[in-house]
Amino acid sequence: QARGAVRADYTAFVHLLDSDFQTNGGHDAAPQPGTLNWAVGQTITDTHTFQVSSAARPGVYQLEIGLYTQPDFDRLRLQTAPGAEGADRLLVGGIRIED
């Protein structure tokens, strides 16, 4: 949700991370209708699909999600995330990969 005017056009990322924080699949794409078009207070739903790497072993994984600008890959910082304020990604955990 846009809390204020968006000053850059961001790309959203979703990456599947193993316990060593190695990427085992993911997807990066511009949210629609583009972040510069977001209105203050507007909630955007952004869907990402990707293939899990064939090298991924069974276990518990987490997703890292966030936004960055191109071509500098400058990530947007979290402002309201208890315990993670200032981080450049949000980690969502507890995703089990099985054979």
Side-chain angles (χ1 to χ4, degrees):
Q1 183 178 48
R3 294 175 36 175
V6 179
R7 293 176 177 67
D9 207 7
Y10 288 94
T11 297
F13 66 88
V14 179
H15 301 144
L16 182 69
L17 303 178
D18 63 20
S19 60
D20 294 324
F21 292 95
Q22 298 299 308
T23 301
N24 285 267
H27 184 250
D28 294 32
Q32 297 305 314
T35 56
L36 289 173
N37 296 317
W38 291 359
V40 175
Q42 181 181 10
T43 299
I44 303 294
T45 300
D46 191 38
T47 302
H48 292 257
T49 59
F50 59 88
Q51 293 269 324
V52 173
S53 169
S54 60
R57 303 186 54 82
V60 177
Y61 290 73
Q62 58 188 337
L63 293 175
E64 68 169 348
I65 59 176
L67 297 164
Y68 63 86
T69 55
Q70 290 192 33
D72 57 6
F73 295 96
D74 186 25
R75 289 184 176 183
L76 191 64
R77 300 268 174 201
L78 301 175
Q79 291 185 352
T80 307
E85 292 87 351
D88 65 0
R89 64 184 175 177
L90 182 65
L91 296 174
V92 181
I95 299 166
R96 181 169 298 283
I97 302 291
E98 298 180 351
D99 281 335

